Structure formats: structure tokens, C-alpha cells
Amino acid sequence: MKQVREDNVARAYEIEALRATARTIPNIDSAVAEIARFSAEMTLPRGTVHVISDVHGEDKKLRHVINNASGTLRPLIEKLLKEKLSQEEFDEFLKLIFYPAEVVGKLEKTLHEKAERKLYAVRTLHNLFDVVRVLAARHSLKHAMRLFPQEYSQLFSEILHEPSTERESAYIEAIVEAMVRRGRALHFVHLTCRLIRNLAIDELIIAGDCWDRGPRGDKVVDYLMQQPNVSFVWGNHDVTWLGACLGHEALVCTVLRISLRYRRLFQLEEGYGIPLMPLERLARVVYAGDPATYFMPKGEGIREIISVARMNKAISVMQWKLEGALIARHPEWGMNDRMLLHKMNLERGTIEIDGKEYQLRDKHFPTIDPADPYELSEEERTCLNCLKSSFLASQKLWEQMKWMVANGSMAISREEQLIFHGCIPVDSEGEFLPMIINGQARCGRDLFEEIDRTIYRMVDERPRRRDLDMLWYLWSGPQSPLFGKDKMATIERALIEDETPHRETKNPYFELLHEKWFCEKLLEEFGVDPDTGLVVNGHVPVKLEKGESPIKRSGKAISIDGAFSEAYGDHGYTLVLEPHRSFLARHHHFESVESALRDGADIIPSITVLKEWERPKCVGDSKRGRDLKFAISHLEHLITAYRNHELRERYGH
């Protein structure tokens, strides 16, 4: 009797769940039709996934790589149109595909007559629609329509059927004529080009690090937020900016120091509305006359270089102080060896590290009190309060961070690929090492999932100090899966000529990736088939100039940090997962948008095929396929409920 009652309760809950579906699937016929549609979709080619890592503020290069679909659009367009167009027409068509806003903007200034605009639009749209049809055929109509510009969704649906015996060229000309009369023809060309880009990439995965080194991290995220389907794997630079956005003082200083180091100040002042006047004032007053020789920035900028160097020195000292105080309140981290300011002897001009004394190459630190070296001076505290308030008040930064967290996690798997940014901390034997979070030691997959929960909570609720401190540990802690070294030798590199203490030792993880057994262990830990899976990381640039390969000797792991940023090498990789193969596209130097428009400069990647399949993968083989199978099962239960009269069918309006 008890079992019967429990079964009845369980069925009542199931019926309530089905009732919600019944609001949109009101009868057996509509459920059968939906099952048929899902079943057909599972036979379509699996969506193409592009994975890019370590963009580091290179917004213009990223935009080009996305617009040309990591080099995969050009071969398709060549196949469709190369014989149909002259070389000049083909080059102009590619420019339009890759830079529709700029090309259309130029055409609006040069094509003054309606007849000229109509002629251009008719010719161009015929070719664009050919590309749209090929790309749209890879998707279900419902999915393709989600990508259509909302105002023109029905029109694009009609255009997909345009090349038929019943419809002549007058059909397209009538569309264009209506657009030209109302001044929207070139706008429609622009929208069609954007649709091509969106159809070409089913999902874009960013494997960490949008900010720092490059000029405009803010524009990188702006552009990513415009894409229809983006997933995010957090990197160490991303959590640093998240911490700064949430007002963590040490991370505010870290973000500012790196921005000053590379003279990337427009993203702060113009992008996020964070004025640097308080820091400029501090540097001018406290470090007046200081040559700041060892704090000179890289790159070019509009501020006087000595001013930037003094600002860099001022924020660096503040960062070191705050980090020391942070480490002191977290003894569980075991990082006391990274508290170095109290080991400085400014009278002798020395600093002690690991029991050895080194000469300081800069001895002018007017704000460091030897009696209390980790305490901010009054001037520093005033400056920091202003800077912190500006970060907290930046609405744009906050919106970008909410988006990054909502669409992100520490790791994701796509088909046979396990993707995360940095590493999984291990010892030399490959055993997972713990990291302390909220007073508990966690490792492996459990560590990643707890970090996920903590970061989600920080954005949804008022963050706790210990959670914010965790973001700093993720940036530079020895057991952090986003850092992967024993230390971050910022002070040593700035103040000591002898390079011995500069050395940072990588976690054994990076060497063990060359071992097949270790990669299989990682894949199994995260629920990916160890026989067919591949570990995909960013974070550590592949040193191509030293002959390094992105493919590890195990054949089971790759690095896709190819130094996308100019500061790192100006290369970069995209991992492309197509229905019939997976490959690495290596991107080379990108001159500029202006050069691309003027000279047709393109980034034509070098291709390295990783895997090929005899039978192209279908949607049914993918995560989407698993979701569809679950949906079909749910609809079959709905049909049963209708047939058993547990739910009432509805017909008509």
C-alpha cells in the first residue's frame, strides 16, 4: 500500500511537470510533430564549434578572426563564387563579408544615386543569399530563424526558397526595389553579412583571458556580447578584473599596474569611465623627481612616459603592501614566503629572499615605513579609496562581468574535448593537490565546481571578503588552477638585477600533459571518454620560435594559447570542431582593419588536422543531440498522459 501511495505521488508530480509543456504542445498531433522535427534535426551535421583562448585585449584581431570564422569562410566562398566573380569582385566581396559595417559605411558615401544602390544591392545580395542558403542548410529551420534579424525573419525564410523554377530573378529585385525606395538596401546587405557570420559558427568558446597586454579588453567583451552563442571558461586575468570590479583592493591595484605596464589606459578611462587622476596626483606628489627607471612602461601612449612610470611604481608599491596584508590574514595558504617588504633593508639597500640577501636596484620608497611596511600611507589610502570607488561605480564593467559569469564556468566539455584555462594542480606523481576554499580542502573536479559556486554567489549576492580574497589566490596562489606556478615573482623582477630569484616553477601538470595515462586520468575525472577525449588548455603560450608544438607528445592534450596578443608573439590558435574533423587554425600577424579594407589583408591560418571521421558527426552525436533525446522522451510521456486522459487535449484557438 505504501509503494502504491508513493507511486501515485510520483505520478502526480510528473503530471504537473507535463502540464507546463502542455501549454505549448496542446495535443497528441502537435507532440508527434515536435518529435518528428527533433528526430530529423538529429540527422543534420553537428554544429561547428570554435574555441579561442588568451585574447588579451586584442579586439581588432579577435573581430577579424570571428568575422572570417577562423579562416573557414574563405574556402566556402571560393567554392561557391570564385568562378562566378573576377578576382577584384571576389576580393571586394570578402571585404564586405569580413567588415560589413565599414564597407557599407563607405558605400553610403559613394553610391549616391538610387539606381547605383539598386544595381549593387541586387548583384551583391544574390551572392550573399547563395552563402546563406548553404550555411542555413546545416541547421534546422527553427534554429536558423533564431539567428535571422528579428524584423526580417519572415523575409529571410522566404529567401531560403528563392531559387526555384516558379521564382525568377524578379523576386529578389522586388525585395531590393522596396529596400532602395526606403533607404534600407545597404542596411539589409549589412544584416545579411552578419547573418553569414552567425550561421558559420554554431558556438564560440572563449577559453579565458580577455583582458591585459592588448589595448582594449572592454571592446573584446563588447564584441563577444554581440555574438549569438558564446560560452566562457574563466582565466586568471578574467577573475582579476572580476575582483577589481567588486572592489577587492589588491586586485584593483593589480589591474591598474598591468594596464600601466603596457600603457593600456584607454580601456580604463574611455572604456570603463575610471579616471586615473588620483593615481597621477599621488605619483606627482610622492614620487616627484623619481626616475622610476625600473618601472618604465612598454608600448606607446599619449601620457608622458616618466609620468606613467611613476604611476606604475606608486601602484606597484600599494599592490605589494596589500598583498602582504592579505597573505597575513590567510595563514592556511602557506604563502608567508611571499611577504617580502619586511625583509627589505632600505638603509643597506638589500632584500632577503629564501635566506639569501640581494641588492636592490631601486631604493627610493618614501611610503614604506620599516616599522609597519604593509600599512598604506595616508596619501596612498586616499588615492586607493578614489580608485576603488570608480571601479565599483563603473556600470559598463559591472554589466560585462555579469555577462562573463552568467555564460561561464571553470571548465566545459564539448563532444570529446575537455576545455579549461590553466591546469589542475598535481604533485610530481600526478595526484591532485588541494586548494582551500571556505575552510575546506578541495581538488580535481570538486575544486572546479566549488569555485564555480563561489563565483556565481559573488555576483548574485553581496560578496564576502573571504570569497573576494579567493579571487586573488586564483590569480597568484601556488595551488590555483588558474595560475599553475609556485610563485608570482613581481617584486623580484622589479627590484633585483640578479635573475635567480625571478624564476617561477611551473606545476608538474604541464610536463605530465605529455603522458597519455595522465591525460586519460583528467578526462575520466571530468566525465569525458578517456579513449577518445582531448584535454584543451590555454594560459601558457606555445613558444613557436623555440620549436614547441601545441600538440603534446601524449597526443591527448593541446595548448591553444598561441600568443594571440602582440605583446606575447602575435600568433594565436582557434580549435575548430567541424562535423567531419577537428583542427587547429594558427593565426598570424594582423596589421589593422584599415589595412584589411585598403589592401584586402587577411589572416589566412595554417591548418593542422587533429582528427578526421569517416562519417561526419551528426547533431545526434553531440550535447544538443542528448538534449533532443531527453526532449523526445519527455514528449512521449506527454502523449501517454493525453492518451490516458490524465491531461486534456486542446484544439483550435
Side-chain angles (χ1 to χ4, degrees):
M1 183 66 70
K2 180 181 177 182
Q3 184 62 49
V4 171
R5 283 199 302 270
E6 289 177 352
D7 289 346
N8 288 339
V9 169
R11 184 58 179 166
Y13 277 119
E14 185 178 9
I15 291 297
E16 284 306 308
L18 291 170
R19 198 181 304 279
T21 307
R23 295 190 186 102
T24 54
I25 310 292
N27 51 56
I28 290 175
D29 285 328
S30 58
V32 170
E34 197 75 347
I35 289 172
R37 188 173 67 80
F38 288 162
S39 300
E41 184 179 343
M42 286 199 288
T43 69
L44 294 172
R46 188 173 72 183
T48 299
V49 179
H50 289 229
V51 189
I52 304 174
S53 184
D54 296 87
V55 178
H56 284 296
E58 296 290 348
D59 60 297
K60 294 178 181 178
K61 185 173 182 178
L62 175 70
R63 183 183 170 202
H64 189 84
V65 168
I66 291 177
N67 282 1
N68 74 7
S70 299
T72 61
L73 264 179
R74 187 187 187 103
L76 171 64
I77 295 169
E78 285 180 341
K79 182 179 178 180
L80 290 174
L81 301 174
K82 189 71 171 176
E83 300 300 320
K84 183 178 176 181
L85 303 176
S86 68
Q87 185 61 50
E88 182 180 356
E89 289 171 333
F90 180 78
D91 291 343
E92 291 301 315
F93 189 75
L94 280 181
K95 290 180 190 178
L96 174 66
I97 293 286
F98 297 162
Y99 290 100
E102 287 80 0
V103 171
V104 166
K106 181 179 177 182
L107 290 170
E108 285 175 340
K109 296 176 182 177
T110 56
L111 298 180
H112 301 293
E113 301 297 326
K114 285 187 177 181
E116 290 181 301
R117 293 194 175 197
K118 179 179 177 181
L119 182 63
Y120 175 84
V122 168
R123 182 179 70 247
T124 303
L125 286 169
H126 268 296
N127 295 329
L128 290 173
F129 293 158
D130 286 343
V131 181
V132 168
R133 287 187 202 99
V134 170
L135 292 172
R138 302 174 182 177
H139 305 274
S140 69
L141 178 60
K142 188 171 183 178
H143 176 76
M145 287 183 68
R146 282 199 295 266
L147 300 176
F148 293 165
Q150 184 176 357
E151 297 82 359
Y152 295 97
S153 180
Q154 291 301 318
L155 182 58
F156 272 108
S157 298
E158 291 286 335
I159 287 167
L160 290 180
H161 302 288
E162 181 267 329
S164 64
T165 54
E166 287 78 18
R167 292 181 176 180
E168 300 178 354
S169 59
Y171 183 83
I172 293 295
E173 291 186 23
I175 292 173
V176 173
E177 177 68 33
M179 297 283 183
V180 169
R181 287 192 180 198
R182 291 150 187 87
R184 305 302 281 174
L186 295 180
H187 174 65
F188 190 60
V189 168
H190 182 181
L191 292 178
T192 307
C193 292
R194 189 190 301 169
L195 174 61
I196 287 171
R197 178 195 70 201
N198 293 343
L199 287 167
I201 303 176
D202 190 65
E203 181 182 21
L204 176 65
I205 298 175
I206 302 299
D209 285 359
C210 284
W211 288 270
D212 298 328
R213 273 49 171 190
R216 295 301 293 262
D218 62 307
K219 289 188 175 182
V220 165
V221 184
D222 273 346
Y223 195 65
L224 292 175
M225 290 173 74
Q226 296 173 24
Q227 310 312 308
N229 186 18
V230 178
S231 297
F232 210 97
V233 175
W234 304 316
N236 53 323
H237 290 269
D238 306 315
V239 298
T240 305
W241 278 82
L242 174 60
C245 173
L246 294 172
H248 190 273
E249 294 181 344
L251 292 177
V252 166
C253 292
T254 299
V255 162
L256 289 168
R257 178 184 61 79
I258 296 173
S259 297
L260 287 158
R261 172 71 168 151
Y262 291 90
R263 299 185 86 169
R264 306 306 196 184
L265 305 183
F266 280 122
Q267 66 180 349
L268 290 165
E269 296 181 305
E270 181 182 278
Y272 295 124
I274 298 172
L276 296 179
M277 278 178 27
L279 183 58
E280 204 163 12
R281 187 184 307 114
L282 175 69
R284 187 170 61 249
V285 173
V286 176
Y287 294 91
D290 191 329
T293 305
Y294 303 104
F295 294 87
M296 286 293 169
K298 299 181 179 183
E300 299 178 351
I302 61 173
R303 273 187 174 86
E304 188 181 7
I305 190 169
I306 186 62
S307 174
V308 178
R310 289 169 182 162
M311 292 165 70
N312 184 16
K313 183 173 182 178
I315 203 68
S316 296
V317 172
M318 292 162 66
Q319 177 188 325
W320 300 337
K321 288 182 176 186
L322 291 163
E323 288 179 342
L326 181 62
I327 291 168
R329 69 173 179 258
H330 286 282
E332 73 276 14
W333 291 348
M335 293 181 67
N336 286 351
D337 61 316
R338 301 308 306 148
M339 297 176 65
L340 298 177
L341 295 188
H342 69 284
K343 297 183 179 181
M344 291 172 61
N345 188 319
L346 295 179
E347 291 183 1
R348 291 206 310 267
T350 60
I351 184 171
E352 181 189 322
I353 297 175
D354 296 330
K356 183 177 178 181
E357 200 166 66
Y358 295 90
Q359 288 294 315
L360 292 169
R361 59 184 183 183
D362 189 329
K363 307 174 185 63
H364 181 65
F365 296 102
T367 69
I368 294 180
D369 179 0
D372 193 0
Y374 301 103
E375 182 67 26
L376 294 179
S377 70
E378 185 178 343
E379 296 93 339
E380 287 173 329
R381 173 51 62 188
T382 300
C383 172
L384 183 59
N385 286 342
C386 292
L387 294 170
K388 177 180 174 180
S389 295
S390 295
F391 273 90
L392 288 169
S394 175
Q395 186 63 29
K396 180 174 180 178
L397 181 58
W398 174 236
E399 291 297 328
Q400 289 190 349
M401 289 299 146
K402 285 198 298 183
W403 175 85
M404 182 190 77
V405 171
N407 290 279
S409 59
M410 284 291 293
I412 59 176
S413 59
R414 285 297 178 270
E415 320 323 332
E416 300 87 6
Q417 328 298 317
L418 170 62
I419 305 163
F420 52 92
H421 179 72
C423 70
I424 299 177
V426 294
D427 62 20
S428 59
E429 301 299 318
E431 295 298 319
F432 298 138
L433 292 175
M435 174 180 156
I436 306 296
I437 303 183
N438 298 324
Q440 294 187 36
R442 299 182 182 271
C443 59
R445 184 176 183 174
D446 182 44
L447 169 61
F448 278 47
E449 290 175 348
E450 183 61 22
I451 292 171
D452 283 349
R453 287 189 287 268
T454 305
I455 289 178
Y456 296 145
R457 184 174 65 243
M458 277 191 277
V459 173
D460 292 339
E461 305 170 7
R462 184 180 178 88
R464 298 176 295 187
R465 187 169 77 166
R466 71 179 184 183
D467 291 340
L468 291 172
D469 288 352
M470 181 202 74
L471 294 179
W472 180 85
Y473 187 90
L474 288 174
W475 163 248
S476 58
Q479 310 292 42
S480 163
L482 296 182
F483 181 49
K485 296 180 184 178
D486 63 336
K487 66 180 181 182
M488 186 176 289
T490 310
I491 294 179
E492 292 92 328
R493 288 194 298 267
L495 302 182
I496 302 171
E497 195 74 43
D498 187 339
E499 294 185 1
T500 304
H502 297 190
R503 191 175 300 116
E504 300 169 342
T505 303
K506 291 180 185 177
N507 186 272
Y509 170 90
F510 297 100
E511 189 59 34
L512 287 170
L513 282 179
H514 294 289
E515 303 294 333
K516 184 178 178 182
W517 66 265
F518 179 69
C519 296
E520 290 175 345
K521 176 180 178 177
L522 299 179
L523 293 163
E524 193 166 15
E525 171 75 4
F526 283 82
V528 178
D529 187 338
D531 294 327
T532 59
L534 188 71
V535 178
V536 181
N537 291 153
H539 188 52
V540 179
V542 179
K543 295 183 174 61
L544 296 167
E545 70 281 0
K546 294 185 178 180
E548 283 188 9
S549 169
I551 306 171
K552 308 307 178 186
R553 292 191 301 272
S554 63
K556 303 286 289 182
I558 59 172
S559 173
I560 57 170
D561 181 0
F564 199 96
S565 169
E566 187 175 359
Y568 283 134
D570 201 8
H571 295 290
Y573 291 107
T574 302
L575 171 63
V576 181
L577 310 177
E578 292 185 327
H580 62 290
R581 65 176 181 171
S582 63
F583 65 87
L584 270 179
R586 178 188 166 193
H587 307 293
H588 305 280
H589 171 70
F590 179 60
E591 185 64 34
S592 65
V593 174
E594 294 73 23
S595 175
L597 292 171
R598 184 183 64 247
D599 308 322
D602 191 7
I603 306 178
I604 302 175
S606 306
I607 300 297
T608 302
V609 176
L610 301 173
K611 286 184 181 180
E612 290 186 282
W613 293 274
E614 292 183 8
R615 180 183 68 85
K617 299 285 186 178
C618 298
V619 170
D621 303 316
S622 68
K623 179 182 180 297
R624 169 67 178 164
R626 292 190 292 274
D627 293 342
L628 289 174
K629 289 171 187 174
F630 177 82
I632 288 172
S633 175
H634 182 71
L635 289 168
E636 286 171 342
H637 283 85
L638 179 63
I639 290 172
T640 299
Y642 282 139
R643 284 179 172 157
N644 292 341
H645 301 287
E646 294 169 291
L647 289 174
R648 190 173 174 181
E649 292 184 83
R650 292 177 290 110
Y651 290 91
H653 299 289

